Structure formats: structure tokens, C-alpha cells
Amino acid sequence: MNIHERLGLPQVETDLRQLETLLTESVVFGDPYLDNVTTHLINAGGKRLRPLLAVASATGGARAATRDDLLGGVALELMHLASLYHDDVMDEAEVRRNVDSVNARYGNLIAIVAGDYLMARSAAIAADLGTEIAGLLARTLAWLTRGQVAEVRTSFDRDRQIDDYYLAIEGKTASLMAASCRVGAITAQRPATEVEALDEFGRCFGMVYQLRDDILDMVATDGQLGKPAGQDLAEGVYTLPAIHAMNDSVVGPQLREMLGKPLNDEEREQARQLVVSTDGIAATYAAARTFVAQGHEAMAIVADEPLRVGFSRLIEALLEGLPEA
Amino acid sequence: MNIHERLGLPQVETDLRQLETLLTESVVFGDPYLDNVTTHLINAGGKRLRPLLAVASATGGARAATRDDLLGGVALELMHLASLYHDDVMDEAEVRRNVDSVNARYGNLIAIVAGDYLMARSAAIAADLGTEIAGLLARTLAWLTRGQVAEVRTSFDRDRQIDDYYLAIEGKTASLMAASCRVGAITAQRPATEVEALDEFGRCFGMVYQLRDDILDMVATDGQLGKPAGQDLAEGVYTLPAIHAMNDSVVGPQLREMLGKPLNDEEREQARQLVVSTDGIAATYAAARTFVAQGHEAMAIVADEPLRVGFSRLIEALLEGLPEA
């Protein structure tokens, strides 16, 4: 999916090209080694989804982004990148965005401390934008870490509940997207009702985004994913499709028997097929649809029509190509 | 050394007892598991040196600390604790403050993310204290991480230069102590000249503190240290005494031959004795003395006599019991 095409706000695409320069400048310090480490994932590219949400929420595409609008997006992208640096250490990931992960290239020690540095830069930019944004980003980081802890704690837990799952994805994915929209609404000095509406849209967008990811992990081809399907099952992250499948009266017992421990390739594929044979995917799709509806509802009060239409198209686009049952 | 006795400002000791409650409250969320992780090192105690510097810089012991003075100290202690959580993962430490390290008790994944959470809480408190303190803490975290990177990069490097060493310790130790004094001076709304003077005192205090630590690692008994002497040598952290010793015309070549790789217990002790046989300890002591003098000089412009006297005694006390040659 081409997100800019779906958003349909060409000025936002122009703004985001400008943001690339600011993003690099914000972490470069003048020490070639450290600069290589901190720009490693910036240079690897990425969708810049969080800056896109921030800038679109600020301008609605109706005007060029101000420097503050762009810096809001930079602070959010840096927090996201910092969490990737730390996640990849935790997951012992070797590849990220088609390049070596930071830990694979520079070692765990440097990856941890470079992630801390990116957080520091994110916080410094947020502080320059005022106490409201500084406080918001700090609270978002707290939610993000709580979400990650919730996921780590329930790994390999066959009794993971749907509520545990929602708590984890709201923290680890939706909180940062909600904050992205909110930051843009704040830098643009939108009225309080629109700030709340955009925050809620961002949260819904993040929930759908993660539900989509968790469906794709079960149904996409390895080529589409860039990793084997069913990876979450193998690594003990039991997402909504798997939770539903474990409760299925027919295949649930067999699936539970297999899970609870790391899986080899053959076991992973077998477990994945068991999940796909249940209504777990359909139930997850239905859950995503309810968040899409909530997202539309939140946007309904936003007066700015191109933004309302653009964001509504964007959240709908997340469900495209997904199996509904 | 009893730091409160040396400081001689009894009201500060009373303030710090109050701070303990705020410190715990600042990280407790209501989830028993997460709360255990985040309070683990708080409960293990500690000198609360950074809050002490902040509160003393704010009040001079002449009045009770305000809530903002205390919260400044809390934000600094949380950043320090966050860095310990991450340091212990990086060093694979098993013990911290006489209890299990967080990584040993809960695993690396939780220790990394819990460190991030403590940073988030530190940043949130800083944001509540205003953009000046929020920005200061963010910049301090950036310096802290740069100091850590500098240390990691020069580990096992027998050509480590004195400047590399100073850059690393200024970042990893002195920057946070400088920020501690500065935050207290800001929450107390001291005049700009005193803010700068206290910041400079904190930096000097931090430099002396780290130089002292690096001398003790070479000369203290295992019982005094709670770990074997010469640990830095074994782990490839070549501190000022070792850098001097490697440049010694007599034992330098032999020492260089031994270093550059991890050492076993016997090699560590042999290398340590080589360092102690040179003037490396005396040179390090002399360096510490110059920072003590700079610290006194910085304090000279502070009108508040009990604070001036108290801080001057405190920085002097760091050198007590150290071998001068």
C-alpha cells in the first residue's frame, strides 16, 4: 500500500521529505562512529508513519508544516527508533529494514546505549516544544515499556487472555500512534476537542495496524513478510488469532499441546495451519473492523474535511487484502 | 565516610528521608510484578548522592526542601537508576548494592525495558518541573550515553589516551552530578551566576568521585570493594592509573603485553601490582586534587556560607584515606 496515495494529501509527502534532513541532524553529534550508530536505522529508510500521522494531524495537508510540526514528528520517530534498537537486542534480531540490526552490526552494548541516546534526543526535542509535549512523550514511553513488559511476561503462556493481548498492543503500538496524532494537533494549536479526537483516531489506527500485523504473521507468504509466517507462534508471542484458536473446541487442545515452548520450523508451520483452520483470523479481522469504526467515529468531529477523508481512507487501507474469514 | 556528617546540613538529611517516599511513589504503577521490578534497586538502598546534591544546592540546608526541590532529586535518581539497569545488562553483572542485579533476577529483556520505564518516569517528572529542567535532563542523558559509548569503544584498547578517559568519565559520572546541582539551583530559583557555579562544582565533584573510584579499584582490599581489586583491568576498562602505568618506561612494556584481552584472577592481580608499582596512582591522586581545587573555586562565589563550607568539606572527603603516592 502506498500510504501517501491513500492519505491523498500531497503537501504532507513534501513535508516528510523535509523531515528526513531534520531527523538526521537531530542525532548527528560530530563523532563519526557514534553518528554511524545513531543514523543506522534512519538511513535504512522506513515508512515514517508516526511523523506522517503527526504532520497530517497538524496541517491536514492544507499548508506546509512548520518547523515545530516537523520537530514533533522527529521526536516521535526517534522514540520509535529507540524502541527498535532495544527490541532488537531483546529479540536477538539480526535484520531490521533489510539491513543488519544495530546489535548485529555493533553489538548489544552499543545498541542498548545508542537506543538510550535516541531517547535522550527525542526528549530534548520534546522539551524544546514545551512541557505539554515533553510530558506527553514521557508518558507515552512509560506506556510503551508497560506494553513490552506485558508481552514479555505472557510469552509462552498458553493461558494468555484477550485482555492481556489488548493491553500489550495498546502499549507497544497504539500509544505511540495516538501520541503522534496528539503531538501534531498540539503543535498546530487545534482546539481541545480535535486534540482528543485525533488522539483517539491514532489509538484506533495503532490497534488496527497491530491486529493487521498479527493476521499477516499467520496468513502472509514468507516472501511478503520477509520472515517465515508463524514467527510469533514460534517465539511464544500468542496473538489474538492464536488465543482464539487455543480456545477452539476442535483444534484447541492439539494446538495447546504444541505451544508453550519454542517451535522448530516444522512445528511452527503445523501450529500456524491449526490456527488458520479456526475462526481465529475471522475474529481478529472483526476486532480490527470495530477499531476502524471507532476511528471513523473519532474523526467525525474534525471539521477539516481533507484530513477526515484522508485519515479515514488510511485506516480502511490497513484492512485491504486481509482475509475476512 | 558518612556523607551527611561531612555535609553538615542536618535539614538535608531530613529532606532525603522524605524523598524516599516520593521516589517509590514515582515508579509504582499498581501492577505488582512491574512494581517489584522498578522498585528493586530503590529498595536495595544507596547513598542518594544525586538527590543530596540537588537538595543541598536548592536549600543550602537553610530551609526544608519544597516538593519541586525533592522532585528534582527524584528525577535525577531515576535517571541514575535507569543507567544502572542498562549498565548491569551490558556488564552481565550479577550483584548490585548487595542484592541480585535486575538482569540476574528478572532477565535481560525485563531489565532493558524496566530501565526504559525509569527513564520515562524521570522525563515525566522533569517535564512537570518545566522545559528548562526537561531539556537539561534530556541533554544530560545524551552526555551520559556518549560517555558510555566512549568507554565501550576504548575497552581493551592499550592506546587509550588520557583525553579519552576524561571524556568518558565526564559523560558517565560527572554530567549527572553537574545536572544534580544545577537542577537544585533551578528549582530554588538561584541567580544565574550561582546556577553556573553549582553546576561546575557538581562536575568537579563527579570527576573526583570517579577518579577516587578508579584509584580504589587498584588499591582497596576485596572486602572494601565488595569485588576483587583490579576488576577494571580484567574487563578492559583502562582507567587513569592504568594509562599512566602503560606509559611507564620500566613496567609499561610488560603491562601492555598482559593487557588487551580479558584476564584471569592471577593475571588480574599481577597486572594490578604492576600498575601500583608505578606513579599511576600518584598521578591520578594529583589529577583529583586539581578538580577538588576547581570545585572550591567554583563554590567561592556562592554567598550561602553553610552550603559553601558543606560542599567544600564533601569534595575534600572524597580524597580521604586515598594513597597520595
Side-chain angles (χ1 to χ4, degrees), chain B residues 130-190:
Chain B
T131 51
E132 187 177 4
I133 288 177
L136 170 60
L137 259 68
R139 286 193 303 277
T140 304
L141 179 58
W143 281 110
L144 192 66
T145 59
R146 285 180 197 137
Q148 286 167 327
V149 169
E151 185 165 297
V152 171
R153 280 179 69 192
T154 54
S155 73
F156 295 110
D157 178 1
R158 285 168 291 186
D159 295 321
R160 191 184 198 199
Q161 300 296 310
I162 291 180
D163 282 355
D164 297 329
Y165 169 79
Y166 279 127
L167 192 72
I169 73 168
E170 177 145 13
K172 75 174 195 162
T173 307
S175 67
L176 201 50
M177 298 210 184
S180 299
C181 293
R182 191 175 192 95
V183 162
I186 294 170
T187 58
Q189 301 184 290
R190 286 186 183 268

Side-chain angles (χ1 to χ4, degrees), chain B residues 91-105:
Chain B
D91 299 342
E92 300 175 0
E94 297 192 349
V95 173
R96 170 68 76 173
R97 294 182 175 172
N98 300 313
V99 298
D100 289 349
S101 66
V102 178
N103 43 307
R105 175 78 66 95

Side-chain angles (χ1 to χ4, degrees), chain A residues 153-181:
Chain A
R153 280 181 68 193
T154 54
S155 74
F156 294 109
D157 177 1
R158 285 168 291 185
D159 295 321
R160 191 183 197 201
Q161 300 295 309
I162 291 180
D163 283 355
D164 297 328
Y165 170 78
Y166 280 127
L167 192 71
I169 73 167
E170 178 145 11
K172 76 173 192 163
T173 307
S175 67
L176 200 50
M177 299 212 182
S180 300
C181 293

Side-chain angles (χ1 to χ4, degrees), chain B:
Chain B
M1 145 176 101
N2 179 324
I3 51 173
H4 285 292
E5 220 167 76
R6 291 315 162 88
L7 184 61
L9 301 172
Q11 176 61 44
V12 172
E13 193 170 359
T14 308
D15 294 334
L16 287 199
R17 277 195 293 272
Q18 279 216 330
L19 179 130
E20 290 298 312
T21 315
L22 273 182
L23 191 57
T24 302
E25 281 174 8
S26 70
V27 299
V28 163
F29 172 56
D31 171 316
Y33 177 87
L34 191 56
D35 294 346
N36 277 333
V37 178
T38 58
T39 59
H40 184 70
L41 284 193
I42 293 177
N43 294 338
K47 295 186 291 290
R48 310 295 185 229
L49 199 49
R50 290 149 196 87
L52 176 140
L53 292 172
V55 166
S57 295
T59 68
R63 59 167 175 80
T66 64
R67 190 174 163 84
D68 277 6
D69 297 334
L70 294 174
L71 285 174
V74 167
L76 288 151
E77 185 71 6
L78 290 178
M79 186 180 292
H80 174 58
L81 289 168
S83 76
L84 296 182
Y85 277 46
H86 287 178
D87 281 356
D88 285 350
V89 173
M90 297 196 281
D91 299 342
E92 300 175 0
E94 297 192 349
V95 173
R96 170 68 76 173
R97 294 182 175 172
N98 300 313
V99 298
D100 289 349
S101 66
V102 178
N103 43 307
R105 175 78 66 95
Y106 298 99
N108 284 347
L109 285 69
I110 291 291
I112 293 172
V113 76
D116 291 347
Y117 175 77
L118 295 181
M119 277 182 204
R121 294 300 303 140
S122 171
I125 293 167
D128 285 343
L129 292 171
T131 51
E132 187 177 4
I133 288 177
L136 170 60
L137 259 68
R139 286 193 303 277
T140 304
L141 179 58
W143 281 110
L144 192 66
T145 59
R146 285 180 197 137
Q148 286 167 327
V149 169
E151 185 165 297
V152 171
R153 280 179 69 192
T154 54
S155 73
F156 295 110
D157 178 1
R158 285 168 291 186
D159 295 321
R160 191 184 198 199
Q161 300 296 310
I162 291 180
D163 282 355
D164 297 329
Y165 169 79
Y166 279 127
L167 192 72
I169 73 168
E170 177 145 13
K172 75 174 195 162
T173 307
S175 67
L176 201 50
M177 298 210 184
S180 299
C181 293
R182 191 175 192 95
V183 162
I186 294 170
T187 58
Q189 301 184 290
R190 286 186 183 268
T193 51
E194 290 198 359
V195 171
E196 296 308 326
L198 285 162
D199 183 310
E200 172 64 5
F201 171 80
R203 190 185 71 85
C204 294
F205 187 88
M207 296 302 277
V208 180
Y209 189 87
Q210 189 61 54
L211 287 160
R212 170 180 187 267
D213 232 40
D214 294 340
I215 293 175
L216 287 176
D217 184 63
M218 294 293 176
V219 303
T221 63
D222 298 1
Q224 285 173 308
L225 291 174
K227 59 180 181 181
Q231 191 81 347
D232 286 339
L233 285 172
E235 293 171 355
V237 180
Y238 303 145
T239 58
L240 195 55
I243 295 171
H244 277 289
M246 284 190 290
N247 294 326
D248 184 85
S249 58
V250 182
V251 308
Q254 192 190 346
L255 182 62
R256 278 174 179 271
E257 190 70 28
M258 296 189 68
L259 299 183
K261 57 178 196 307
L263 305 180
N264 65 31
D265 289 358
E266 198 184 324
E267 294 165 331
R268 185 192 62 232
E269 180 53 21
Q270 205 186 335
R272 189 188 72 77
Q273 286 180 11
L274 285 178
V275 173
V276 171
S277 76
T278 70
D279 68 353
I281 301 294
T284 306
Y285 185 88
R289 273 244 69 93
T290 67
F291 285 109
V292 169
Q294 283 179 39
H296 288 316
E297 200 180 322
M299 284 306 289
I301 73 115
V302 174
D304 187 340
E305 195 189 338
L307 179 61
R308 197 171 63 236
V309 172
F311 269 3
S312 295
R313 266 200 308 254
L314 204 59
I315 197 169
E316 282 287 349
L318 290 175
L319 297 186
E320 271 169 31
L322 289 185
E324 296 183 32

